[in-house]
Amino acid sequence: VVRSINPRTNENFGPEFLDTTKEEVDSIILRSKTAFSTWSSASADQRASVLHAVAAAIDSASAELVEIADLETGLGSPRLPGEVARTTFQIRQFSEALRAGKFVSPTIDDAVEGAPPSGHPQLVRTFQALGVVVVFGANNFPFAFSVLGGDTASALAAGCTVIAKAHPSHPQTSTKVFEIASKEFAAHGYQDVLTLIHGLEAGTQVLKSPDVSAGAFTGSRNGGRALFDIAVSRKNPIPFYGELGSVNPVVALQSGLGDTTAFANAYLDSLLLGNGQFCTNPSLLFVPSESDVSGVIQEQISLRSSTPFLSPGTKNLHDLNRDRLTQVLGATPAMGKLGSEIGLFTAPAVITISAEQAMEHSDAYQIECFGPTGIVVTYKDMSQLLLLLAKLDGALTGSIFSTADDVDALSVIKTLQLKVGRISWNAWPTGVAVSVGQHHGGPYPASTSSIHTSVGLHAIERFLRPVAFQGFPSELLERVQ
Amino acid sequence: VVRSINPRTNENFGPEFLDTTKEEVDSIILRSKTAFSTWSSASADQRASVLHAVAAAIDSASAELVEIADLETGLGSPRLPGEVARTTFQIRQFSEALRAGKFVSPTIDDAVEGAPPSGHPQLVRTFQALGVVVVFGANNFPFAFSVLGGDTASALAAGCTVIAKAHPSHPQTSTKVFEIASKEFAAHGYQDVLTLIHGLEAGTQVLKSPDVSAGAFTGSRNGGRALFDIAVSRKNPIPFYGELGSVNPVVALQSGLGDTTAFANAYLDSLLLGNGQFCTNPSLLFVPSESDVSGVIQEQISLRSSTPFLSPGTKNLHDLNRDRLTQVLGATPAMGKLGSEIGLFTAPAVITISAEQAMEHSDAYQIECFGPTGIVVTYKDMSQLLLLLAKLDGALTGSIFSTADDVDALSVIKTLQLKVGRISWNAWPTGVAVSVGQHHGGPYPASTSSIHTSVGLHAIERFLRPVAFQGFPSELLERVQ
């Protein structure tokens, strides 16, 4: 059983949501499997039209959805209306890609006369949707990474059906989005293309089912790893695309700092956006010790207030991790202000340590502290900096602040390239463009499948299995694709 | 310790190969990691030139290599010279793809003015080689899926370095190929781009190393699964691309049989090619019971003789599985002739069962019996056939024999599409074209990563991790790719 909690008051409200029972889950899997036959064999154009209609229905309900989500998440405006727009933009982008034949069109590899290895029959490389996919919705994106978020949109676009597990921190939002979408699917003659379950046990039951072909997840490292372990330990292992959060490095060279007060405030803006609850949060900032910027950051944070945490669990975990961090590092955080005495608030903080301290605790200082807490590392020279960067865990994204003619920039970039999935130039990491050139994923522990992205058009590739047709007559080929 | 065995005599010959020690493995990993820095940052053109030179060196040594491999594998001519040619063809194909900028060229996603979600900064999606890759060579392809086979070629083309584990059934061939290739790499200034280890323990040590970023494997289901389990259970899981063999369905509709004697012999040619030791072997043949084809196959196999097994282990496992199969199915195999009284020979066999028997033992009859043994299932009607096909495990490849106007063909194809990675039209499954349209992989247990191929140009995608560069000045972008 789960009930919504208003983060601004830490009070329950609204109906109780029961965990989906074992029998209900069995029935949902069966229905999703049946729906897969129809949905996966619909043409790309047909799927595109339905997805367009679903996006339009969500847009029409935006105001209502934002109101529910705001009560459940405290994320407010402009964030929530923006997130609904992002969600439908994502769906439309996949839908337009389908119409343009991108990603799903076959490659025709004409026959070559002669003996092998150069000679070969005609091969037509087509794509087959994987099957039923289970999507575990995220805590911090009630729309864009939840029931109808990027994982779901890309899987549906590929021709998979989706069983979405609602995140317990926003059951009403999840249910409402699901209802709007399923009504629209049904209106177009597609039942059970999207189904919804509640409860972790229901989620693991689906993930273990032999009728389920892939999993996708956005959330914590521990949660994601536990689900990944289930997916790969099955009798028939299945792909599990987990985006497990990240400790993202931002490197400021002296040449890239500019006005240190402006820099400090831009850093705090990014760090504290959405109460720091972003997987792209600039968790680790490396600044030159010769600059006054770390001192300025410590001054500036005192002017900042926190916004609410998404859920009591998120707040508790953050507070625990921050305590561990400060204890292990033996550092005193510079504190901001508590946003409110009631509700799920914790004052923001920045923990400043030297490169030597970071070196001494090279694992401990990379604990993800999901929320309004940043670590600033002051380095004396490039050799210290590069040594620290080389010891970083995999991350989703990294940034470098520098001038283009700074001779040190290249070695920083080359080190970051081995560690992260996206590198930004003189820009903060929060804000992930939904675009074909995007890559949102990184070496483990950032994600469980670093060669795939969960944002942008390439996300669809995770759910498409190539099938080569060898020597088929063209009239038959047309009928099987 | 391992020594070569001549399959034609079952006698040892040549030097002893010691297992690579723990300390040697540590040193090899370190050297491979060091080599990765240089090799991965070489330009695609540079890598292409070196790979071209390696292919030429292997071609020059073809006669000598074939002689060694023939003694170790008994595969003879034309198979072995053909396999050397296939191996160098593969390397050249990747090398030419690199020169043409395929797979490794960045996608430039121009900035779009305006607010998100439509507005975004410039994103350049580049590719980063994964790192050090361990390749477990196959038993049945001493060249094309071994030390310098498709997995190695695709990983090297991507910019990874490779630690190859020699298969114990052909240590001399593996060592010779390795020596020729490393000499050529060294001549071009690249040390340790390819390294060689012997022994299973050494292989698992490499797979467990935090400095190793991916594994690739061609071999048995049990062996592959054990290695997959190691790769995904690491503290930092890594991708493991295992091609685990396959029980491949071939469906003959009445319309596709033609002359049944010709059909039976074409089937036996494919089944017994290389003593049946192909992952694309037509293991399961479905024929209509109304036809006399199953009887003709039983007659024709009596005229066929076996060729040698690759190793005592392969023969023993085959014989054991065939005994299990005949026992469980309660069927008497139709036998061919023993190729020789000495050496590693077993007479070929075809086990014919009815659709009802197959239904009753739907797991048992799908045991892979790697070698010169086929199962022929006679079906009465389409509903029997489709029911059996729907219960098949994942496979690498399937075939259908039919006329284009046969109304039953489509439902067979649509069922096969869900089960296999390649479907051939009126053609036997053995012989896998090395081409851009190829897909050699299938749902588990055929492979551990069904969306990736181990043959053809797309194999390189397994070793490339996208990295998006956001908002970078062009002069800097040129220097980091």
Side-chain angles (χ1 to χ4, degrees), chain A residues 109 120 125 225 234-235 417 420-423 425 435 437 439 444 458 465-466 468 470-472 476 480, chain B residues 109 120 125 128 225 234-235 417 420-423 425 435 437 439 444 450 458 465-466 468 470 472 476 480:
Chain A
D109 182 6
H120 64 77
R125 190 169 178 267
R225 182 61 192 257
R234 292 163 44 119
K235 186 177 168 230
Q417 233 173 320
V420 309
R422 174 174 60 106
I423 311 179
W425 177 254
S435 194
H439 186 72
Y444 191 90
H458 285 279
R465 183 171 64 79
Q470 180 178 318
F472 268 66
L476 211 54
V480 294
Chain B
D109 182 6
H120 64 78
R125 190 171 178 264
Q128 169 65 46
R225 180 63 192 257
R234 292 162 44 119
K235 187 180 168 227
Q417 232 174 322
V420 309
R422 173 174 60 108
I423 310 179
W425 176 254
S435 193
H439 186 72
Y444 190 91
S450 71
H458 286 279
R465 183 171 62 79
Q470 179 179 317
F472 269 67
L476 212 52
V480 293

Short mmCIF file of all heavy atoms in Angstrom, two decimals, chain A residues 109 120 125 225 234-235 417 420-423 425 435 437 439 444 458 465-466 468 470-472 476 480, chain B residues 109 120 125 128 225 234-235 417 420-423 425 435 437 439 444 450 458 465-466 468 470 472 476 480:
data_model
loop_
_atom_site.label_atom_id
_atom_site.label_comp_id
_atom_site.label_asym_id
_atom_site.label_seq_id
_atom_site.Cartn_x
_atom_site.Cartn_y
_atom_site.Cartn_z
N ASP A 109 21.28 -5.01 -48.51
CA ASP A 109 22.67 -5.35 -48.84
C ASP A 109 22.57 -6.30 -50.03
O ASP A 109 22.28 -7.48 -49.88
CB ASP A 109 23.25 -6.03 -47.58
CG ASP A 109 24.71 -6.41 -47.71
OD1 ASP A 109 25.33 -6.05 -48.72
OD2 ASP A 109 25.21 -7.08 -46.79
N HIS A 120 28.15 -13.09 -51.94
CA HIS A 120 27.14 -13.45 -50.92
C HIS A 120 25.74 -13.21 -51.46
O HIS A 120 25.56 -12.40 -52.39
CB HIS A 120 27.37 -12.70 -49.61
CG HIS A 120 27.21 -11.20 -49.70
ND1 HIS A 120 25.99 -10.58 -49.74
CD2 HIS A 120 28.12 -10.21 -49.77
CE1 HIS A 120 26.15 -9.27 -49.81
NE2 HIS A 120 27.45 -9.01 -49.84
N ARG A 125 18.64 -6.33 -43.77
CA ARG A 125 18.72 -6.26 -42.30
C ARG A 125 17.54 -5.45 -41.79
O ARG A 125 17.47 -4.23 -41.97
CB ARG A 125 20.04 -5.59 -41.91
CG ARG A 125 20.39 -5.65 -40.45
CD ARG A 125 21.85 -5.19 -40.26
NE ARG A 125 22.26 -5.16 -38.87
CZ ARG A 125 22.19 -4.08 -38.09
NH1 ARG A 125 21.73 -2.94 -38.55
NH2 ARG A 125 22.60 -4.15 -36.83
N ARG A 225 21.06 -1.70 -9.43
CA ARG A 225 21.93 -2.87 -9.45
C ARG A 225 21.16 -4.13 -9.05
O ARG A 225 21.35 -5.20 -9.63
CB ARG A 225 23.14 -2.66 -8.54
CG ARG A 225 24.12 -3.83 -8.53
CD ARG A 225 24.69 -4.07 -9.94
NE ARG A 225 25.41 -5.33 -10.06
CZ ARG A 225 26.74 -5.46 -10.09
NH1 ARG A 225 27.50 -4.39 -10.00
NH2 ARG A 225 27.30 -6.64 -10.24
N ARG A 234 18.49 -14.47 -14.69
CA ARG A 234 17.39 -15.31 -15.17
C ARG A 234 17.94 -16.50 -15.95
O ARG A 234 19.07 -16.46 -16.43
CB ARG A 234 16.51 -14.49 -16.13
CG ARG A 234 15.72 -13.37 -15.49
CD ARG A 234 15.25 -12.39 -16.58
NE ARG A 234 14.73 -13.09 -17.74
CZ ARG A 234 13.48 -12.98 -18.19
NH1 ARG A 234 12.63 -12.16 -17.61
NH2 ARG A 234 13.10 -13.64 -19.26
N LYS A 235 17.08 -17.52 -16.11
CA LYS A 235 17.46 -18.64 -16.97
C LYS A 235 17.82 -18.08 -18.36
O LYS A 235 18.84 -18.43 -18.93
CB LYS A 235 16.30 -19.64 -17.05
CG LYS A 235 16.68 -20.89 -17.80
CD LYS A 235 15.54 -21.91 -17.82
CE LYS A 235 15.84 -23.02 -18.82
NZ LYS A 235 14.71 -23.27 -19.73
N GLN A 417 36.77 12.03 -21.39
CA GLN A 417 36.23 11.18 -22.46
C GLN A 417 36.17 9.71 -22.05
O GLN A 417 35.33 8.96 -22.52
CB GLN A 417 37.18 11.29 -23.67
CG GLN A 417 36.50 11.66 -24.95
CD GLN A 417 37.53 11.92 -26.05
OE1 GLN A 417 38.59 12.52 -25.82
NE2 GLN A 417 37.21 11.48 -27.25
N VAL A 420 32.99 9.65 -18.99
CA VAL A 420 31.61 10.15 -19.04
C VAL A 420 30.99 9.95 -20.42
O VAL A 420 31.68 9.65 -21.39
CB VAL A 420 31.53 11.65 -18.66
CG1 VAL A 420 32.25 11.92 -17.34
CG2 VAL A 420 32.08 12.54 -19.76
N GLY A 421 29.67 10.14 -20.48
CA GLY A 421 28.93 9.99 -21.73
C GLY A 421 28.68 11.29 -22.47
O GLY A 421 28.32 11.29 -23.65
N ARG A 422 28.80 12.40 -21.76
CA ARG A 422 28.61 13.71 -22.40
C ARG A 422 29.56 14.70 -21.75
O ARG A 422 29.72 14.68 -20.53
CB ARG A 422 27.15 14.18 -22.22
CG ARG A 422 26.87 15.60 -22.71
CD ARG A 422 25.38 15.97 -22.64
NE ARG A 422 24.85 15.89 -21.30
CZ ARG A 422 24.54 16.94 -20.52
NH1 ARG A 422 24.70 18.18 -20.97
NH2 ARG A 422 24.06 16.78 -19.31
N ILE A 423 30.19 15.54 -22.56
CA ILE A 423 31.09 16.57 -22.03
C ILE A 423 30.61 17.92 -22.51
O ILE A 423 30.40 18.12 -23.71
CB ILE A 423 32.55 16.35 -22.49
CG1 ILE A 423 32.98 14.90 -22.25
CG2 ILE A 423 33.49 17.31 -21.78
CD1 ILE A 423 34.40 14.59 -22.72
N TRP A 425 31.07 22.08 -22.76
CA TRP A 425 32.09 23.13 -22.84
C TRP A 425 31.53 24.42 -22.24
O TRP A 425 30.55 24.97 -22.74
CB TRP A 425 32.48 23.35 -24.30
CG TRP A 425 33.48 24.45 -24.54
CD1 TRP A 425 33.23 25.68 -25.06
CD2 TRP A 425 34.89 24.40 -24.25
NE1 TRP A 425 34.38 26.42 -25.13
CE2 TRP A 425 35.43 25.66 -24.64
CE3 TRP A 425 35.74 23.44 -23.71
CZ2 TRP A 425 36.78 25.95 -24.51
CZ3 TRP A 425 37.09 23.75 -23.57
CH2 TRP A 425 37.60 24.98 -23.97
N SER A 435 17.66 15.09 -28.19
CA SER A 435 18.04 15.31 -29.57
C SER A 435 18.82 14.11 -30.10
O SER A 435 19.27 13.26 -29.33
CB SER A 435 18.87 16.59 -29.64
OG SER A 435 19.00 17.01 -30.98
N GLY A 437 21.73 13.87 -31.35
CA GLY A 437 23.15 13.83 -31.00
C GLY A 437 23.40 13.59 -29.52
O GLY A 437 24.54 13.53 -29.08
N HIS A 439 23.83 11.85 -25.89
CA HIS A 439 24.13 10.55 -25.27
C HIS A 439 24.00 10.70 -23.77
O HIS A 439 24.78 11.41 -23.14
CB HIS A 439 25.53 10.05 -25.65
CG HIS A 439 25.76 8.66 -25.14
ND1 HIS A 439 25.13 7.57 -25.69
CD2 HIS A 439 26.47 8.19 -24.08
CE1 HIS A 439 25.48 6.48 -25.02
NE2 HIS A 439 26.29 6.83 -24.04
N TYR A 444 29.65 2.21 -16.15
CA TYR A 444 29.14 1.83 -14.84
C TYR A 444 29.96 2.52 -13.75
O TYR A 444 31.17 2.60 -13.90
CB TYR A 444 29.24 0.31 -14.67
CG TYR A 444 28.52 -0.21 -13.46
CD1 TYR A 444 27.19 -0.60 -13.54
CD2 TYR A 444 29.15 -0.27 -12.22
CE1 TYR A 444 26.51 -1.05 -12.41
CE2 TYR A 444 28.48 -0.71 -11.10
CZ TYR A 444 27.17 -1.10 -11.20
OH TYR A 444 26.49 -1.55 -10.09
N HIS A 458 18.47 7.89 -30.27
CA HIS A 458 19.15 6.59 -30.27
C HIS A 458 18.65 5.65 -29.18
O HIS A 458 18.94 4.46 -29.20
CB HIS A 458 20.67 6.78 -30.14
CG HIS A 458 21.31 7.28 -31.41
ND1 HIS A 458 21.63 6.45 -32.45
CD2 HIS A 458 21.64 8.53 -31.82
CE1 HIS A 458 22.15 7.15 -33.44
NE2 HIS A 458 22.17 8.42 -33.09
N ARG A 465 15.86 -5.54 -32.22
CA ARG A 465 16.78 -6.65 -32.49
C ARG A 465 16.85 -6.83 -34.00
O ARG A 465 15.83 -7.02 -34.64
CB ARG A 465 16.23 -7.91 -31.82
CG ARG A 465 17.08 -9.14 -31.94
CD ARG A 465 16.54 -10.27 -31.07
NE ARG A 465 15.22 -10.71 -31.47
CZ ARG A 465 14.96 -11.52 -32.50
NH1 ARG A 465 15.94 -11.95 -33.26
NH2 ARG A 465 13.73 -11.89 -32.78
N PRO A 466 18.06 -6.75 -34.59
CA PRO A 466 18.14 -6.95 -36.04
C PRO A 466 17.78 -8.39 -36.42
O PRO A 466 18.07 -9.33 -35.68
CB PRO A 466 19.61 -6.67 -36.35
CG PRO A 466 20.13 -5.89 -35.19
CD PRO A 466 19.36 -6.38 -34.00
N ALA A 468 18.19 -10.53 -40.10
CA ALA A 468 18.60 -10.48 -41.51
C ALA A 468 17.78 -11.47 -42.32
O ALA A 468 17.64 -12.63 -41.92
CB ALA A 468 20.09 -10.80 -41.62
N GLN A 470 17.69 -13.43 -45.72
CA GLN A 470 18.66 -13.83 -46.74
C GLN A 470 17.95 -14.41 -47.96
O GLN A 470 17.20 -15.39 -47.85
CB GLN A 470 19.62 -14.86 -46.14
CG GLN A 470 20.67 -15.35 -47.12
CD GLN A 470 21.63 -16.34 -46.48
OE1 GLN A 470 22.07 -16.16 -45.34
NE2 GLN A 470 21.96 -17.40 -47.20
N GLY A 471 18.18 -13.76 -49.11
CA GLY A 471 17.69 -14.30 -50.39
C GLY A 471 16.18 -14.35 -50.53
O GLY A 471 15.66 -15.20 -51.25
N PHE A 472 15.48 -13.44 -49.89
CA PHE A 472 14.02 -13.46 -49.96
C PHE A 472 13.49 -12.79 -51.22
O PHE A 472 14.02 -11.75 -51.64
CB PHE A 472 13.42 -12.75 -48.73
CG PHE A 472 13.13 -13.69 -47.60
CD1 PHE A 472 14.17 -14.32 -46.94
CD2 PHE A 472 11.83 -13.97 -47.19
CE1 PHE A 472 13.93 -15.21 -45.89
CE2 PHE A 472 11.58 -14.85 -46.16
CZ PHE A 472 12.62 -15.48 -45.50
N LEU A 476 7.63 -11.05 -50.88
CA LEU A 476 7.44 -11.64 -49.56
C LEU A 476 8.05 -10.71 -48.49
O LEU A 476 7.48 -10.51 -47.42
CB LEU A 476 8.12 -13.01 -49.51
CG LEU A 476 7.48 -14.05 -48.60
CD1 LEU A 476 6.00 -14.23 -48.91
CD2 LEU A 476 8.20 -15.37 -48.78
N VAL A 480 6.56 -9.12 -44.69
CA VAL A 480 7.01 -9.54 -43.36
C VAL A 480 7.56 -8.40 -42.52
O VAL A 480 7.78 -8.55 -41.33
CB VAL A 480 8.06 -10.68 -43.43
CG1 VAL A 480 7.44 -11.93 -44.00
CG2 VAL A 480 9.28 -10.27 -44.23
N ASP B 109 24.95 17.42 -34.60
CA ASP B 109 23.56 17.80 -34.33
C ASP B 109 23.61 19.29 -34.00
O ASP B 109 23.97 19.68 -32.88
CB ASP B 109 23.09 16.94 -33.15
CG ASP B 109 21.66 17.16 -32.75
OD1 ASP B 109 20.95 17.89 -33.46
OD2 ASP B 109 21.25 16.58 -31.72
N HIS B 120 18.24 23.68 -28.32
CA HIS B 120 19.34 22.99 -27.63
C HIS B 120 20.68 23.43 -28.20
O HIS B 120 20.76 23.91 -29.32
CB HIS B 120 19.17 21.47 -27.72
CG HIS B 120 19.25 20.91 -29.11
ND1 HIS B 120 20.44 20.73 -29.79
CD2 HIS B 120 18.27 20.50 -29.96
CE1 HIS B 120 20.20 20.22 -30.98
NE2 HIS B 120 18.89 20.07 -31.12
N ARG B 125 28.01 13.85 -31.55
CA ARG B 125 28.02 12.48 -30.98
C ARG B 125 29.19 11.72 -31.57
O ARG B 125 29.20 11.38 -32.75
CB ARG B 125 26.69 11.80 -31.31
CG ARG B 125 26.45 10.47 -30.60
CD ARG B 125 25.01 10.04 -30.85
NE ARG B 125 24.71 8.76 -30.25
CZ ARG B 125 24.76 7.59 -30.89
NH1 ARG B 125 25.12 7.54 -32.15
NH2 ARG B 125 24.45 6.46 -30.27
N GLN B 128 33.88 6.48 -28.54
CA GLN B 128 35.06 6.20 -27.73
C GLN B 128 35.19 4.68 -27.64
O GLN B 128 34.22 4.00 -27.31
CB GLN B 128 34.84 6.82 -26.35
CG GLN B 128 35.83 6.42 -25.29
CD GLN B 128 37.23 6.92 -25.61
OE1 GLN B 128 37.40 8.08 -25.99
NE2 GLN B 128 38.21 6.04 -25.50
N ARG B 225 27.86 -19.18 -20.76
CA ARG B 225 27.05 -18.68 -19.65
C ARG B 225 27.89 -18.47 -18.40
O ARG B 225 27.70 -17.49 -17.66
CB ARG B 225 25.88 -19.63 -19.36
CG ARG B 225 24.97 -19.17 -18.22
CD ARG B 225 24.30 -17.86 -18.58
NE ARG B 225 23.65 -17.21 -17.46
CZ ARG B 225 22.32 -17.21 -17.26
NH1 ARG B 225 21.52 -17.79 -18.13
NH2 ARG B 225 21.80 -16.58 -16.23
N ARG B 234 30.61 -8.77 -11.74
CA ARG B 234 31.71 -7.93 -11.27
C ARG B 234 31.17 -6.73 -10.49
O ARG B 234 30.02 -6.36 -10.64
CB ARG B 234 32.49 -7.39 -12.47
CG ARG B 234 33.27 -8.39 -13.28
CD ARG B 234 33.61 -7.83 -14.66
NE ARG B 234 34.08 -6.47 -14.57
CZ ARG B 234 35.28 -6.04 -14.96
NH1 ARG B 234 36.12 -6.89 -15.51
NH2 ARG B 234 35.63 -4.79 -14.83
N LYS B 235 32.06 -6.12 -9.71
CA LYS B 235 31.67 -4.87 -9.03
C LYS B 235 31.19 -3.88 -10.11
O LYS B 235 30.13 -3.27 -9.96
CB LYS B 235 32.87 -4.32 -8.26
CG LYS B 235 32.50 -3.14 -7.40
CD LYS B 235 33.70 -2.59 -6.63
CE LYS B 235 33.34 -1.24 -6.03
NZ LYS B 235 34.39 -0.23 -6.27
N GLN B 417 10.71 -15.09 -37.13
CA GLN B 417 11.20 -13.74 -36.87
C GLN B 417 11.37 -13.45 -35.37
O GLN B 417 12.21 -12.67 -34.97
CB GLN B 417 10.17 -12.76 -37.43
CG GLN B 417 10.74 -11.72 -38.35
CD GLN B 417 9.62 -10.89 -38.97
OE1 GLN B 417 8.55 -11.41 -39.32
NE2 GLN B 417 9.87 -9.61 -39.11
N VAL B 420 14.77 -16.05 -34.22
CA VAL B 420 16.12 -16.16 -34.79
C VAL B 420 16.65 -14.80 -35.24
O VAL B 420 15.91 -13.82 -35.36
CB VAL B 420 16.15 -17.14 -35.99
CG1 VAL B 420 15.51 -18.49 -35.62
CG2 VAL B 420 15.46 -16.56 -37.22
N GLY B 421 17.96 -14.78 -35.54
CA GLY B 421 18.61 -13.55 -35.99
C GLY B 421 18.75 -13.44 -37.50
O GLY B 421 19.00 -12.36 -38.02
N ARG B 422 18.61 -14.56 -38.19
CA ARG B 422 18.70 -14.54 -39.66
C ARG B 422 17.75 -15.60 -40.19
O ARG B 422 17.68 -16.69 -39.63
CB ARG B 422 20.15 -14.84 -40.10
CG ARG B 422 20.31 -15.00 -41.62
CD ARG B 422 21.80 -15.15 -42.02
NE ARG B 422 22.43 -16.29 -41.40
CZ ARG B 422 22.77 -17.42 -42.05
NH1 ARG B 422 22.53 -17.54 -43.35
NH2 ARG B 422 23.34 -18.42 -41.41
N ILE B 423 17.04 -15.27 -41.25
CA ILE B 423 16.13 -16.23 -41.88
C ILE B 423 16.52 -16.36 -43.35
O ILE B 423 16.64 -15.36 -44.06
CB ILE B 423 14.66 -15.78 -41.79
CG1 ILE B 423 14.30 -15.38 -40.35
CG2 ILE B 423 13.72 -16.89 -42.26
CD1 ILE B 423 12.87 -14.90 -40.17
N TRP B 425 15.86 -17.98 -47.18
CA TRP B 425 14.78 -18.40 -48.06
C TRP B 425 15.32 -19.49 -49.01
O TRP B 425 16.24 -19.22 -49.78
CB TRP B 425 14.27 -17.20 -48.86
CG TRP B 425 13.21 -17.51 -49.88
CD1 TRP B 425 13.37 -17.55 -51.24
CD2 TRP B 425 11.84 -17.81 -49.63
NE1 TRP B 425 12.19 -17.87 -51.84
CE2 TRP B 425 11.22 -18.03 -50.89
CE3 TRP B 425 11.05 -17.93 -48.46
CZ2 TRP B 425 9.87 -18.36 -51.04
CZ3 TRP B 425 9.71 -18.25 -48.60
CH2 TRP B 425 9.13 -18.45 -49.86
N SER B 435 29.13 -9.45 -44.18
CA SER B 435 28.64 -8.30 -44.94
C SER B 435 27.88 -7.35 -44.03
O SER B 435 27.52 -7.69 -42.91
CB SER B 435 27.74 -8.82 -46.06
OG SER B 435 27.50 -7.80 -46.98
N GLY B 437 24.90 -6.25 -44.15
CA GLY B 437 23.51 -6.62 -43.87
C GLY B 437 23.37 -7.85 -42.99
O GLY B 437 22.26 -8.27 -42.67
N HIS B 439 23.31 -10.38 -39.83
CA HIS B 439 23.10 -10.38 -38.38
C HIS B 439 23.32 -11.79 -37.88
O HIS B 439 22.56 -12.70 -38.19
CB HIS B 439 21.70 -9.88 -37.99
CG HIS B 439 21.56 -9.75 -36.51
ND1 HIS B 439 22.20 -8.76 -35.80
CD2 HIS B 439 20.94 -10.52 -35.58
CE1 HIS B 439 21.95 -8.91 -34.50
NE2 HIS B 439 21.19 -9.98 -34.35
N TYR B 444 18.63 -15.23 -26.55
CA TYR B 444 19.24 -16.21 -25.67
C TYR B 444 18.46 -17.52 -25.76
O TYR B 444 17.24 -17.49 -25.82
CB TYR B 444 19.24 -15.69 -24.23
CG TYR B 444 20.07 -16.53 -23.29
CD1 TYR B 444 21.40 -16.24 -23.09
CD2 TYR B 444 19.51 -17.63 -22.65
CE1 TYR B 444 22.17 -17.02 -22.24
CE2 TYR B 444 20.28 -18.42 -21.81
CZ TYR B 444 21.61 -18.11 -21.62
OH TYR B 444 22.38 -18.88 -20.79
N SER B 450 21.30 -10.15 -27.83
CA SER B 450 20.66 -10.45 -29.11
C SER B 450 20.60 -9.26 -30.05
O SER B 450 20.36 -9.44 -31.24
CB SER B 450 19.25 -10.99 -28.88
OG SER B 450 18.40 -9.96 -28.42
N HIS B 458 28.49 -4.47 -38.55
CA HIS B 458 27.86 -3.94 -37.33
C HIS B 458 28.49 -4.48 -36.05
O HIS B 458 28.23 -3.96 -34.96
CB HIS B 458 26.35 -4.20 -37.34
CG HIS B 458 25.60 -3.31 -38.29
ND1 HIS B 458 25.25 -2.02 -37.96
CD2 HIS B 458 25.17 -3.50 -39.54
CE1 HIS B 458 24.63 -1.46 -38.98
NE2 HIS B 458 24.57 -2.33 -39.96
N ARG B 465 31.57 3.24 -27.50
CA ARG B 465 30.68 3.92 -26.56
C ARG B 465 30.50 5.36 -27.05
O ARG B 465 31.49 6.07 -27.23
CB ARG B 465 31.35 3.91 -25.18
CG ARG B 465 30.54 4.51 -24.07
CD ARG B 465 31.19 4.25 -22.71
NE ARG B 465 32.51 4.84 -22.58
CZ ARG B 465 32.72 6.13 -22.31
NH1 ARG B 465 31.71 6.97 -22.16
NH2 ARG B 465 33.96 6.59 -22.19
N PRO B 466 29.26 5.79 -27.27
CA PRO B 466 29.08 7.18 -27.71
C PRO B 466 29.48 8.18 -26.61
O PRO B 466 29.28 7.92 -25.43
CB PRO B 466 27.56 7.28 -27.98
CG PRO B 466 27.10 5.87 -28.16
CD PRO B 466 27.98 5.05 -27.24
N ALA B 468 28.92 12.39 -26.24
CA ALA B 468 28.39 13.61 -26.85
C ALA B 468 29.19 14.81 -26.38
O ALA B 468 29.42 14.98 -25.18
CB ALA B 468 26.92 13.78 -26.51
N GLN B 470 29.13 18.71 -26.08
CA GLN B 470 28.11 19.77 -26.09
C GLN B 470 28.75 21.15 -26.15
O GLN B 470 29.53 21.50 -25.27
CB GLN B 470 27.23 19.63 -24.85
CG GLN B 470 26.14 20.69 -24.74
CD GLN B 470 25.27 20.50 -23.51
OE1 GLN B 470 24.87 19.39 -23.18
NE2 GLN B 470 24.99 21.59 -22.82
N PHE B 472 31.04 22.58 -28.03
CA PHE B 472 32.49 22.71 -28.15
C PHE B 472 32.89 23.57 -29.34
O PHE B 472 32.28 23.47 -30.41
CB PHE B 472 33.15 21.33 -28.29
CG PHE B 472 33.56 20.73 -26.98
CD1 PHE B 472 32.59 20.34 -26.06
CD2 PHE B 472 34.90 20.57 -26.64
CE1 PHE B 472 32.95 19.79 -24.84
CE2 PHE B 472 35.27 20.02 -25.42
CZ PHE B 472 34.30 19.63 -24.52
N LEU B 476 38.67 22.78 -31.17
CA LEU B 476 38.98 21.86 -30.10
C LEU B 476 38.41 20.47 -30.43
O LEU B 476 39.03 19.44 -30.18
CB LEU B 476 38.36 22.38 -28.80
CG LEU B 476 39.11 22.07 -27.51
CD1 LEU B 476 40.58 22.46 -27.59
CD2 LEU B 476 38.45 22.77 -26.35
N VAL B 480 40.09 16.40 -30.33
CA VAL B 480 39.76 15.38 -29.33
C VAL B 480 39.20 14.10 -29.96
O VAL B 480 39.07 13.09 -29.30
CB VAL B 480 38.75 15.89 -28.27
CG1 VAL B 480 39.39 16.95 -27.41
CG2 VAL B 480 37.46 16.37 -28.90
#
